[in-house]
Amino acid sequence: MYTQFEVESHFDGRLQVIFLNQPEVFNSLNKVMLKELRSAVEAFGKDETVRCIAISGRGKAFCAGQNLKDAVDLKDHVDDDREIQRIVIDYYNPLVEAITHSKKPIISLVNGPAVGAGAMLALITDFTLATESAYFSLAFANIGLIPDTAGTYYLPRLVGHQLASYLAFTGKKVPAMEAKKLGMIADVFPDTEFAEKSFEILGHLSFAATKAIGLTKKAFFEAESNTLKEQLDLESIYQQSAAQSHDFREGITAFLEKRKPNYIGK
């Protein structure tokens, strides 16, 4: 279905792992890949059997950012027809919105270098898990561009204005352990344990109360622009929505019966 991706299904279809599958170019992005990734995220987001989505890369890299060879034909048109702006608007921005607004948890499994748009692809998901040997680099300025893929939105919120400026201006390589200390990513595991440890977390999410997670994700996003009063009002609304779910009733029943809850994501 997704020609430049591989999709693995785990936990009876509850978990769908999308692998960027162009290892010969370090999974660098082109228009086809961006469109297919967005389609996969949207399709799995609508599939009621899917409870968690993960994005990773085949080969040695997570994602090397924009495929520059794919963009070579743009060099004669940059000043004339705003082709680069159209690529950002038509391909990158819709992918960011699909990931951000998905009701399902979306997790990045960073198996190697994540550079430029590849770094931001990893950082815009709900949280990021990485191998010790991975690193992140906001290398846009190295080729005369600004951070896109929501880089100017998310990076200052993750690490603060000063550090975001430093990383964006210099393109500094940030090893995974340092990225965790800076608050860029959630956790780091040894390379030999990465699959086992990350799938423990993905497995938990695949059987969790997905509706509540989706509402939490939405509330976190809206908090970026809300006042405290607006966010408190929003919490009351979302909490009522969660309280009317099957999973809330199941959670309470399981607690009283002293058993593990059987959530269905509704």
Side-chain angles (χ1 to χ4, degrees), residues 33-212:
M33 293 180 73
L34 290 163
K35 184 177 180 180
E36 289 177 353
L37 181 55
R38 174 193 174 191
S39 296
V41 168
E42 291 177 342
F44 292 139
K46 295 174 183 177
D47 188 337
E48 293 188 357
T49 64
V50 176
R51 308 280 291 283
C52 181
I53 303 165
I55 301 173
S56 192
R58 293 292 192 198
K60 297 180 179 180
F62 174 74
C63 178
Q66 172 65 41
N67 187 321
L68 296 179
K69 288 186 178 180
D70 184 62
V72 166
D73 62 333
L74 305 181
K75 66 181 184 300
D76 296 327
H77 306 286
V78 172
D79 296 326
D80 298 331
D81 59 4
R82 299 186 178 181
E83 180 68 13
I84 289 178
Q85 183 180 20
R86 281 204 293 268
I87 290 177
V88 172
I89 291 172
D90 294 342
Y91 295 93
Y92 281 96
N93 291 358
L95 174 59
V96 172
E97 294 192 3
I99 291 172
T100 301
H101 298 301
S102 176
K103 295 179 180 179
K104 308 292 175 65
I106 301 180
I107 314 304
S108 294
L109 305 180
V110 179
N111 56 300
V115 179
M120 288 315 308
L121 175 60
L123 298 178
I124 64 174
T125 57
D126 294 310
F127 61 81
T128 307
L129 306 175
T131 63
E132 277 186 332
S133 62
Y135 68 80
F136 301 81
S137 174
L138 278 295
F140 297 91
N142 294 350
I143 56 171
L145 294 176
I146 74 162
D148 56 26
T149 323
T152 61
Y153 182 88
Y154 277 103
L155 195 61
R157 287 166 169 80
L158 287 170
V159 301
H161 178 86
Q162 285 258 341
L163 187 54
S165 298
Y166 175 55
L167 296 177
F169 295 176
T170 66
K172 178 184 184 294
K173 291 183 180 180
V174 183
M177 286 301 297
E178 183 180 350
K180 180 183 177 182
K181 292 177 182 177
L182 294 175
M184 291 174 66
I185 65 175
D187 215 341
V188 179
F189 304 113
D191 291 22
T192 56
E193 300 176 15
F194 182 61
E196 177 186 357
K197 296 293 187 181
S198 61
F199 267 74
E200 286 179 6
I201 297 168
L202 296 177
H204 171 78
L205 294 176
S206 298
F207 290 88
T210 314
K211 182 171 182 179

Side-chain angles (χ1 to χ4, degrees), residues 207-250:
F207 290 88
T210 314
K211 182 171 182 179
I213 290 174
L215 289 169
T216 303
K217 176 176 177 174
K218 189 174 182 181
F220 280 166
F221 181 80
E222 295 189 37
E224 297 289 352
S225 58
N226 280 350
T227 64
L228 175 60
K229 177 61 167 61
E230 290 170 335
Q231 195 66 15
L232 291 174
D233 291 342
L234 188 69
E235 284 180 1
S236 72
I237 295 169
Y238 286 0
Q239 192 70 293
Q240 180 59 33
S241 180
Q244 292 175 319
S245 69
H246 170 278
D247 284 350
F248 172 70
R249 294 192 296 273
E250 169 61 13

